[in-house]
Amino acid sequence: MLKQQLNLKLQNKLVLTLSLKQQLSLLLLPKIELQETIKTELQENPFLEEVINIEPDFEPVRDYSKYYEDEDKQPITSRIAYKPSLSDIVDFQIDLEFEGKEKEIAREIAGNVDNKGFLAVSVEEIASRLRVPPEEVEEVRQKLMRLEPTGFASRDIRENLIVQYREIFGADGDAEEIIKSDLENLQNMQYLTGKYRHLTEEKIKEIICNIKSLKPYPAVGYAEEPTQYVEPDVYVYDHGDRFEVVVNESGLPKLKLTTAYRKLISDKSLPEETRKFLEDKLQVAMGIIKGIQQRRENLKKITEILVNYQADFIRKGREYLKPLILKDVAEEVGLHESTVSRIVSSKYVQLPTGVMPLKAFFSNRLSSSSGDVSTEKVKYMIAQLIQNEDKRKPLSDQKIADILKKQGINVARRTVTKYREQLNIPDSRTRRMKR
């Protein structure tokens, strides 16, 4: 009787593991890729069935004319974007999650990561270059490893797998010991049961299954792809006193589980290999249906938080963007920061002013005498100062920093230089020569 209970427990854990993996993968997908994934699974998965001739369970397409321009009249550039590279994704998160010296350290670490996602130099070497204690570099590296992709900047495969295991399955000393000492022995069950006598065979199998579901290299799946058209994942309507958020699910097939193959699984005469194939397909199918629902709910919830918090940005312009980082939104929705990062990555929102990436709603903080201001606000102020400067005596970066300081914004000269260059504005000497 005890053995049956243990087998049942193992089976339940496998369902959760495969379903969770499928759900997490769907969070990453923009609408167009999600649509292709669903179509592929419908062809290959016997447990998935498209529901035909049903009433839509989301709001039908309405007349957008009073909210948006005719799509044919919009420039083609408003509907084109490239799939962000790994370095784009990491830079985005560094800008949001680190400040001051920590940001400099994070960029140095990211610049020394190889094409597999591992740190190619020692922490001590980076500390020596930046003239900071190694402990400070290591603290930043630990934070980087828990962003997206999980395990980025880890030292090797073992550390990468341990970080992923903790993030997905929780801390487990036995699993970490197996990863550290016996990664090459995962296929040798006799050896593992002999060495880890305090663990049941079922528990060891569960750990092995979890480990095999992880990515050996943090950079796997982040190869650059060519420029492509984008379709908004979310529509936002401005009703004046409130915003309405509608997740774009037009064209997505409606799915349900078919019962035709369930009876086969319970057939005792079924070959074990066939049974395992069907069980895995059922778990994937359940994960897809649940994942689509979670993607819809989380995307809607996060977008509502973003548009309500950044209402002035939407209605008045980029200079009104408030400071906002991943951690703020994660705390609001009750999700991990890496999950929020997955959800907003490569997702686009249709606003009355055009299509833009969801990550455009985020901005780092700079301190001022009246409270925090966003970096976008500071960039706008720099652009305005240069636009209104004496054409015969253009403002130097140091002079701009001094003016901002008098206005209560503490920003270093090198930061002014960085923002000016990001705005594609020449330095004062070049501006004087052009005039």
Side-chain angles (χ1 to χ4, degrees):
M1 187 67 177
L2 179 60
K3 185 175 181 180
Q4 290 177 344
Q5 291 175 339
L6 287 172
N7 286 338
L8 181 58
K9 178 181 179 182
L10 174 63
Q11 199 171 31
N12 285 339
K13 287 294 291 185
L14 284 171
V15 171
L16 289 173
T17 299
L18 292 177
S19 293
L20 176 61
K21 183 180 178 181
Q22 190 66 52
Q23 292 164 34
L24 289 175
S25 68
L26 294 185
L27 287 178
L28 288 167
L29 300 181
K31 195 254 182 177
I32 293 177
E33 293 182 28
L34 176 64
Q35 191 169 347
E36 291 302 314
T37 298
I38 293 174
K39 288 181 178 179
T40 299
E41 283 295 330
L42 273 171
Q43 294 173 356
E44 299 178 355
N45 196 316
F47 288 97
L48 280 179
E49 181 179 341
E50 183 175 0
V51 181
I52 308 296
N53 296 328
I54 63 168
E55 292 297 323
D57 60 0
F58 57 92
E59 187 170 347
V61 176
R62 66 181 73 180
D63 180 12
Y64 294 144
S65 59
K66 65 178 180 178
Y67 295 99
Y68 309 117
E69 298 177 5
D70 186 342
E71 185 175 298
D72 293 335
K73 297 178 181 178
Q74 293 180 356
I76 193 170
T77 52
S78 71
R79 292 179 283 119
I80 292 182
Y82 71 97
K83 187 180 180 70
S85 66
L86 177 58
S87 98
D88 291 331
I89 293 169
V90 172
D91 284 345
F92 166 54
Q93 293 175 96
I94 288 175
D95 275 337
L96 294 178
E97 300 304 318
F98 297 95
E99 296 179 357
K101 193 66 177 179
E102 280 198 345
K103 179 178 289 190
E104 182 182 353
I105 295 171
R107 290 199 183 285
E108 185 68 21
I109 292 173
N112 286 279
V113 169
D114 62 25
N115 58 8
K116 293 181 179 179
F118 296 136
L119 186 62
V121 301
S122 68
V123 166
E124 289 72 22
E125 184 175 337
I126 292 176
S128 176
R129 289 181 199 166
L130 300 179
R131 297 181 181 180
V132 297
E135 296 78 16
E136 199 170 328
V137 176
E138 180 60 19
E139 184 178 348
V140 172
R141 190 179 75 90
Q142 290 294 329
K143 292 181 182 178
L144 267 180
M145 285 196 295
R146 282 159 179 79
L147 296 180
E148 176 67 23
T150 307
F152 179 81
S154 51
R155 295 186 183 91
D156 51 38
I157 287 179
R158 285 174 169 79
E159 185 177 41
N160 168 52
L161 293 177
I162 288 173
V163 173
Q164 288 185 58
Y165 202 104
R166 288 175 183 170
E167 292 295 311
I168 297 175
F169 305 108
D172 186 325
D174 294 316
E176 292 183 20
E177 182 57 34
I178 290 175
I179 293 172
K180 287 178 183 176
S181 306
D182 293 296
L183 199 56
E184 67 281 2
N185 294 315
L186 293 185
Q187 304 298 330
N188 192 340
M189 182 59 64
Q190 183 177 356
Y191 169 82
L192 293 176
T193 53
K195 181 175 180 179
Y196 300 93
R197 295 180 182 277
H198 63 289
L199 299 177
T200 64
E201 183 176 338
E202 286 72 21
K203 176 62 177 176
I204 294 176
K205 287 182 178 178
E206 176 190 326
I207 291 174
I208 292 173
C209 179
N210 290 345
I211 293 173
K212 288 183 176 179
S213 72
L214 305 175
K215 295 193 299 184
Y217 306 123
V220 167
Y222 286 89
E224 291 193 25
E225 294 185 8
T227 301
Q228 59 183 341
Y229 289 100
V230 298
E231 184 176 353
D233 297 273
V234 190
Y235 288 98
V236 172
Y237 304 93
D238 187 352
H239 295 297
D241 59 335
R242 64 184 178 88
F243 290 105
E244 180 187 4
V245 174
V246 177
V247 177
N248 181 10
E249 292 191 332
S250 62
L252 293 183
K254 301 301 169 182
L255 305 177
K256 71 175 183 178
L257 290 176
T258 180
T259 58
Y261 287 84
R262 289 190 178 185
K263 296 177 182 178
L264 280 177
I265 295 180
S266 60
D267 186 350
K268 295 181 179 180
S269 64
L270 196 68
E272 187 59 31
E273 184 178 342
T274 305
R275 185 194 309 279
K276 181 64 168 60
F277 169 80
L278 291 174
E279 286 176 348
D280 288 348
K281 285 295 185 181
L282 175 59
Q283 293 158 24
V284 170
M286 293 169 62
I288 287 176
I289 292 176
K290 181 65 174 176
I292 293 172
Q293 178 186 347
Q294 288 185 335
R295 180 185 183 275
R296 178 193 311 124
E297 293 173 354
N298 288 325
L299 189 55
K300 179 179 176 66
K301 189 184 302 182
I302 288 174
T303 305
E304 286 175 343
I305 291 172
L306 294 176
V307 298
N308 287 323
Y309 185 79
Q310 301 288 17
D312 287 342
F313 160 58
I314 294 173
R315 291 170 176 150
K316 299 179 181 179
R318 195 160 189 81
E319 65 271 22
Y320 291 91
L321 188 69
K322 298 177 184 177
L324 186 66
I325 59 176
L326 289 169
K327 184 178 180 181
D328 297 332
V329 178
E331 290 176 351
E332 184 75 18
V333 297
L335 297 172
H336 192 277
E337 291 169 47
S338 63
T339 303
V340 174
S341 177
R342 287 186 180 98
I343 294 172
V344 302
S345 179
S346 302
K347 306 296 192 308
Y348 288 79
V349 56
Q350 171 75 69
L351 300 171
T353 53
V355 179
M356 67 172 54
L358 274 178
K359 69 179 183 181
F361 286 84
F362 294 87
S363 181
N364 210 343
R365 294 179 170 89
L366 284 175
S367 61
S368 73
S369 57
S370 58
D372 291 336
V373 295
S374 73
T375 54
E376 292 300 327
K377 175 70 172 178
V378 176
K379 289 179 186 179
Y380 174 78
M381 295 174 72
I382 291 172
Q384 289 295 106
L385 286 172
I386 293 175
Q387 182 178 337
N388 298 321
E389 68 187 359
D390 185 340
K391 309 304 180 186
R392 296 167 298 178
K393 297 180 179 180
L395 297 171
S396 67
D397 292 342
Q398 183 59 59
K399 183 62 177 176
I400 293 173
D402 293 340
I403 295 172
L404 292 174
K405 187 174 183 180
K406 290 179 182 178
Q407 297 179 8
I409 297 175
N410 298 314
V411 56
R413 178 201 57 77
R414 62 178 179 275
T415 304
V416 172
T417 302
K418 172 186 171 184
Y419 291 168
R420 175 179 54 73
E421 290 174 347
Q422 290 176 353
L423 293 166
N424 294 318
I425 298 176
D427 59 24
S428 58
R429 180 177 299 179
T430 304
R431 298 201 303 274
R432 182 184 297 112
M433 290 173 62
K434 285 185 176 180
R435 292 161 183 165

